[in-house]
Amino acid sequence: MIELTHKQVVVDGTPRIVMAGEVHYFRVAREEWEQRLDLVVEAGLTAVASYIPWVFHELPDGTIDVEGRTRPERDVGAFIDLCAERGLMFIARPGPFVMAELKNEGIPFRVYREHPEVVPVGWDGAPAPSRTVDYLAPAFLEETRRWYEAVLPLIAARLQPHGGNVVMVQLDNEVGMLAWVTNSPDLTDHLLEHLGRWVDEKYDGAGPYPVAPGGEGWAEAVRSPSEEWAGPLRRDLGEFMRDRFADYVLTLRAMAEGLGVRDVPFAVNIHGTEGGSGTPFPIGISQLVNTYSGIPGMVSGSDHYMGEATLTTMSDLYVINAYMDAVHDADQPLTSLEFEAGSGDYGAGAEMQYDPSTADLKTRLCLAQGNRLINYYLFAGGINPPLDEVVDDGNDRLSFTGERHGTAAPVGPEGQRGFAFEATARTVHAVNANEPWLAVMDEEHDDVELGLVLDAYATEYHHPGSALMGDAVDDLSQHRGAGQRRVLVRSLLMAGYRFGAVHLEERSPRRGSVLALGTGRYLAEVVQQRVVAHAEAGGRVLLLGPVPQLDLDGTPCHVLADALDLGHGEVVRDTGHYFPSVVAHGWAAPWPEMRVGWRQELRPNRGDVVLTDVYGTVCGVDVPLGDGRVVVLAAELPSNRDLFGRALAALGAAPGVSTTTPFPGVITTTTSSEDGQRALHLINISGAAMPTTVTVDGVELFDGRPLHVPARSGHVLPLGLDVGGVRLIGGSGEVAGVEDGAIRFCSLLAVGDGPGHVDIAPGTAVLPDDGYDITPFADGTVRVTPHEGATLVVRLDTTSTLVDPTPAEPDLHIEASPRA
């Protein structure tokens, strides 16, 4: 049985961290399947995921082979069964769209030939530049039903609740992505008829459009909009497509359930990274939120490709996870259905080589934020087979990548261990060793929330000839989310803050909390009202960006500025001969003069000035509002943990975890479970070893002596973990396994000038060993310290206790008790 409950993935009653690897059976010769799956097992993975591409299984005459009649690699059930024989769970991804660098994104050529009406036109009636379709076109749905009727029964027969190993089924893939990346909305006649009914209902027949929705001239008014209604149309298209995508996924789910696929989660894959950047990822959430948010049996999965783990990458990843969780309900867990793995050399041209620690560092951050399933994509490469029909497209193969595919993967196209295999395997084995507590722990948050404004990400469609649409999209893209240059999130992470996000269109921030929000000139009226109400009720707000002055459709909206009694001038940007710099005042000082890309003049009528340019023009204020306060920083500031740490401190929020390091690069957070277990997560993403002092809830760990955290390494340290029948209450080592009455540790970090150690709660005897020293304390706590060069394996006896423990000086006893 599979349950999604309390943000956990529970398999047969046991909370799990599902570690999967994507292996494309259709790109691997049948006789090599077992060898690839043996490598999956060797790496420690517990599941396999694979697309099941329609274009591969449909023959030129329209018949479908999923049993291997025409090609042995088409026997999908046999591959799933081989996974089961090795104890591997299976995640089925049958489309209809699968992408995966396949021709037509996985849709058979025949569908386009026989049903040209499903192919959209976009702005000005231009043909869609991608192989997208109108998802709800009757002909496409009927063809999809044919495909599902062929493939889903064999999946239904292998569902885990019915004795098989299929634990999850993904419905379609990256819905809406093709229209977004091409800025070409699916404006078929069928869709526009639906849009007309939707607009009529929204505006009750009194909308802003010059013609009756759905009537004569409606198609032209949408495809080639005038500036008069361009603003409302951009907003309405985004909202409408959310509903339409939800209708599509609901239709697919109904088809699947009608064919026996039920009692396992249905997954929706969220796209959004672009050009190695995660900042546009919430566009995918915005498009697909209505397909899964709060819907029982549905789960969302991230799909991200951002390159090597750096401060930039990890800031983006932290936001991705926080924003995904913000729209989930109390039971829906975080998952990642495409988690970038490998060297990054996707073109086999030695043009890229990520540090092999990259997957480890990203994995650890995601697990600390509550991810319960990670699918490494692509784990094993392969060979793209020839198509069954000649299409004369340059290679006539299944994929546009040519013959070899997955050259960057941990396992190469020919089944060889790749550059990142050993590093990936080490990561997976470390996760497995820590699964019992990671699977039930949630990240602890400080009294800070990052604002999510989904409508600020409804920027996927804008007519290229519309100045109004272009201005809105440019403004929103620059300032939303983590703030320009990722300043909000990067600064808060460096300052030690642990935070989630709040979906501001749907709910208010926690009462009294600090809301951190990136703003531009465009901000929806409902969000401005919610920010004002939060402050008036005693909440605190940190705004970074220009003062909002327009609603999303371009109409003036000064709700927030009026509440703050805050006048404002134009934004002044740098040029080749003008270099604006700012200085801090009040609680923000001392702070060195800092060059900025732009600043906006603020004219406050109350409150304190905290930022000016060097000539005294105000660009930062701290304004009381009701029982709360709002800090507005209207300049393109650089990331700075001191300045933003002071801002949050002034607003009354302190980090529960703080570190002291010589340079930026160490990310820390804590997780805890309902039964009182707790862990500290340390991730050093820099290329330098970092001496790091750590304070948790005001308690200096290790007597304030620094931990020596190696370059590009991650660690899960006990603050109260139940391991092998005992409780570890502290220490500088990560659990590597429990076996033969002993706990094995790895990555034991040195403390100060001496070796690392672990502390064990009273009630358990530690058996003497030549490899470590035992220091008992008066309260029964035992400290175990390895000898120099020794690997720490603590042998335990849970049936007896230490006798006559020797008292020690209090300053030698380091303990971080779990929170009540």
Side-chain angles (χ1 to χ4, degrees):
M1 183 172 68
I2 313 294
E3 294 179 280
L4 305 177
T5 180
H6 298 95
K7 299 191 180 296
Q8 298 172 11
V9 174
V10 181
V11 181
D12 291 336
T14 301
R16 298 295 306 272
I17 299 290
V18 179
M19 298 298 293
E22 185 89 7
V23 180
H24 290 160
Y25 66 93
F26 53 91
R27 284 175 163 136
V28 177
R30 173 74 175 262
E31 61 269 18
E32 297 178 15
W33 283 358
E34 293 192 61
Q35 184 263 353
R36 299 300 196 280
L37 294 180
D38 288 342
L39 288 174
V40 168
V41 173
E42 180 182 328
L45 295 166
T46 54
V48 167
S50 181
Y51 288 121
I52 305 174
W54 185 3
V55 70
F56 175 69
H57 288 278
E58 180 169 304
L59 307 180
D61 63 2
T63 60
I64 295 173
D65 176 12
V66 291
E67 297 89 15
R69 300 186 315 274
T70 58
R71 187 182 291 182
E73 290 77 26
R74 288 187 170 123
D75 192 346
V76 181
F79 182 75
I80 299 174
D81 293 342
L82 279 178
C83 293
E85 290 174 13
R86 286 158 176 75
L88 295 167
M89 295 176 277
F90 190 79
I91 300 166
R93 311 175 77 190
F97 277 89
V98 298
M99 284 62 179
E101 294 77 51
L102 298 183
K103 306 285 176 66
N104 302 334
E105 315 297 345
I107 306 298
F109 288 85
R110 178 192 59 79
V111 172
Y112 297 94
R113 287 195 303 263
E114 295 184 4
H115 305 288
E117 75 275 14
V118 309
V119 180
V121 296
W123 298 122
D124 301 320
S130 68
R131 298 298 272 172
T132 187
V133 301
D134 178 357
Y135 293 111
L136 288 178
F140 180 70
L141 291 179
E142 189 56 37
E143 291 287 0
T144 297
R145 180 177 294 279
R146 282 188 66 250
W147 165 237
Y148 270 18
E149 287 173 346
V151 71
L152 291 187
L154 67 86
I155 293 173
R158 293 169 171 82
L159 296 176
Q160 193 273 349
H162 306 153
N165 62 326
V166 177
V167 295
M168 183 176 290
V169 176
Q170 181 181 308
L171 298 172
D172 207 274
N173 188 59
E174 298 177 353
V175 176
M177 182 269 292
L178 295 172
W180 161 53
V181 298
T182 61
N183 183 28
S184 180
D186 303 335
L187 301 180
T188 62
D189 291 340
H190 179 261
L191 182 144
L192 290 178
E193 180 183 348
H194 186 187
L195 174 63
R197 295 195 300 270
W198 184 92
V199 166
D200 255 346
E201 182 176 343
K202 174 178 178 178
Y203 293 102
D204 196 20
Y209 301 102
V211 297
E216 185 177 354
W218 172 243
E220 183 180 358
V222 174
R223 290 171 180 158
S224 303
S226 163
E227 288 294 82
E228 180 184 350
W229 59 88
L233 177 62
R234 187 193 66 80
R235 180 195 59 202
D236 286 345
L237 266 180
E239 293 178 10
F240 165 74
M241 291 306 296
R242 286 178 193 159
D243 290 343
R244 191 168 177 85
F245 293 149
D247 289 344
Y248 172 58
V249 172
L250 181 63
T251 300
L252 295 183
R253 178 172 178 173
M255 286 185 192
E257 290 179 333
L259 292 165
V261 178
R262 56 176 69 92
D263 303 322
V264 296
F266 290 104
V268 172
N269 196 24
I270 301 176
H271 55 272
T273 59
E274 182 182 36
S277 171
T279 55
F281 181 88
I283 290 174
I285 302 178
S286 171
Q287 289 182 291
L288 300 179
V289 61
N290 291 353
T291 68
Y292 65 86
S293 178
I295 301 175
M298 300 296 296
V299 64
S300 68
S302 62
D303 177 340
H304 49 76
Y305 298 85
M306 297 180 291
E308 193 158 302
T310 63
L311 273 173
T312 295
T313 304
M314 300 294 264
S315 297
D316 286 350
L317 193 54
Y318 199 90
V319 173
I320 285 172
N321 290 323
Y323 277 175
M324 285 180 62
D325 188 58
V327 303
H328 286 173
D329 64 24
D331 289 323
Q332 290 175 315
L334 290 174
T335 73
S336 183
L337 292 167
E338 289 191 29
F339 194 104
E340 185 179 23
S343 69
D345 185 23
Y346 298 117
E351 296 158 355
M352 181 64 67
Q353 189 178 75
Y354 303 156
D355 189 281
S357 66
T358 289
D360 180 64
L361 301 178
K362 291 180 181 177
T363 298
R364 288 176 177 276
L365 181 65
C366 287
L367 292 175
Q369 288 185 268
N371 270 250
R372 311 302 191 193
L373 179 152
I374 287 175
N375 179 36
Y376 288 123
Y377 192 102
L378 189 64
F379 182 75
I383 303 299
N384 290 309
L387 291 164
D388 288 297
E389 58 181 314
V390 175
V391 294
D392 197 25
D393 65 355
N395 65 27
D396 288 323
R397 289 187 178 272
L398 186 67
S399 171
F400 56 74
T401 58
E403 182 181 29
R404 302 177 78 238
H405 187 82
T407 55
V411 176
E414 291 76 31
Q416 70 274 33
R417 290 172 176 79
F419 173 73
F421 179 83
E422 296 298 334
T424 304
R426 284 195 300 271
T427 298
V428 176
H429 286 292
V431 173
N432 293 341
N434 289 271
E435 180 187 23
W437 36 94
L438 291 178
V440 297
M441 284 182 164
D442 296 311
E443 186 181 27
E444 297 176 319
H445 290 154
D446 297 312
D447 202 16
V448 178
E449 294 180 285
L450 182 66
L452 167 61
V453 182
L454 271 188
D455 287 339
Y457 287 93
T459 55
E460 66 269 38
Y461 314 123
H462 54 284
H463 191 284
S466 170
L468 180 56
M469 285 187 174
D471 181 63
V473 168
D474 288 346
D475 178 72
L476 293 169
S477 300
Q478 287 180 44
H479 300 290
R480 63 196 176 192
Q484 201 163 21
R485 299 168 65 183
R486 303 170 177 85
V487 164
L488 273 178
V489 169
R490 189 186 291 124
S491 298
L492 297 187
L493 286 177
M494 289 192 300
Y497 285 93
R498 308 156 299 172
F499 52 90
V502 55
H503 180 9
L504 287 173
E505 285 101 342
E506 295 294 327
R507 59 183 61 91
S508 299
R510 293 192 311 271
R511 188 175 181 85
S513 66
V514 175
L515 170 67
L517 180 63
T519 66
R521 292 180 296 115
Y522 290 79
L523 186 64
E525 182 176 10
V526 65
V527 176
Q528 294 193 41
Q529 291 170 341
R530 193 155 272 151
V531 171
V532 170
H534 175 63
E536 288 179 337
R540 285 78 39 83
V541 181
L542 174 60
L543 299 179
L544 177 66
V547 176
Q549 51 193 294
L550 299 166
D551 204 341
L552 291 175
D553 60 5
T555 59
C557 182
H558 302 97
V559 171
L560 183 55
D562 290 347
L564 295 173
D565 198 13
L566 183 62
H568 50 85
E570 293 300 310
V571 170
V572 177
R573 301 184 181 278
D574 59 0
T575 68
H577 302 284
Y578 182 75
F579 318 103
S581 295
V582 298
V583 292
H585 306 271
W587 52 251
W591 191 56
E593 176 186 316
M594 187 62 62
R595 169 90 155 77
V596 296
W598 59 265
R599 60 92 179 144
Q600 181 184 33
E601 180 185 2
L602 302 180
R603 296 188 289 271
N605 290 303
R606 65 176 190 271
D608 299 320
V609 172
V610 296
L611 205 65
T612 68
D613 71 3
V614 294
Y615 304 115
T617 300
V618 177
C619 52
V621 293
D622 182 346
V623 181
L625 180 58
D627 293 329
R629 293 162 59 194
V630 178
V631 170
V632 180
L633 302 177
E636 187 192 22
L637 298 168
S639 301
N640 187 280
R641 64 181 178 183
D642 293 330
L643 175 66
F644 284 89
R646 287 175 192 154
L648 263 67
L651 292 171
V657 178
S658 59
T659 59
T660 302
T661 59
F663 309 104
V666 175
I667 296 174
T668 57
T669 191
T670 57
T671 55
S672 63
S673 62
E674 290 185 355
D675 63 0
Q677 296 190 81
R678 199 176 185 209
L680 170 69
H681 301 256
L682 276 175
I683 303 173
N684 181 8
I685 59 178
S686 77
M690 290 278 196
T692 305
T693 62
V694 183
T695 299
V696 178
D697 298 335
V699 177
E700 286 189 328
L701 302 188
F702 310 103
D703 291 336
R705 292 176 292 167
L707 291 170
H708 294 277
V709 187
R712 300 194 65 81
S713 67
H715 312 269
V716 179
L717 304 184
L719 295 177
L721 296 180
D722 295 328
V723 183
V726 301
R727 172 155 286 213
L728 305 178
I729 61 172
S732 65
E734 177 175 295
V735 174
V738 181
E739 53 201 31
D740 300 326
I743 304 174
R744 182 164 45 89
F745 293 87
C746 65
S747 305
L748 198 70
L749 303 180
V751 179
D753 296 328
H757 60 261
V758 295
D759 290 346
I760 300 174
T764 300
V766 178
L767 305 180
D769 186 276
D770 291 338
Y772 55 75
D773 295 325
I774 300 171
T775 305
F777 296 93
D779 65 356
T781 299
V782 181
R783 171 160 302 155
V784 183
T785 307
H787 296 161
E788 184 175 357
T791 299
L792 184 57
V793 179
V794 179
R795 291 197 297 276
L796 302 166
D797 181 355
T798 59
T799 64
S800 61
T801 59
L802 285 169
V803 180
D804 298 325
T806 304
E809 294 297 326
D811 64 348
L812 294 179
H813 180 197
I814 303 158
E815 178 176 348
S817 299
R819 279 184 176 171

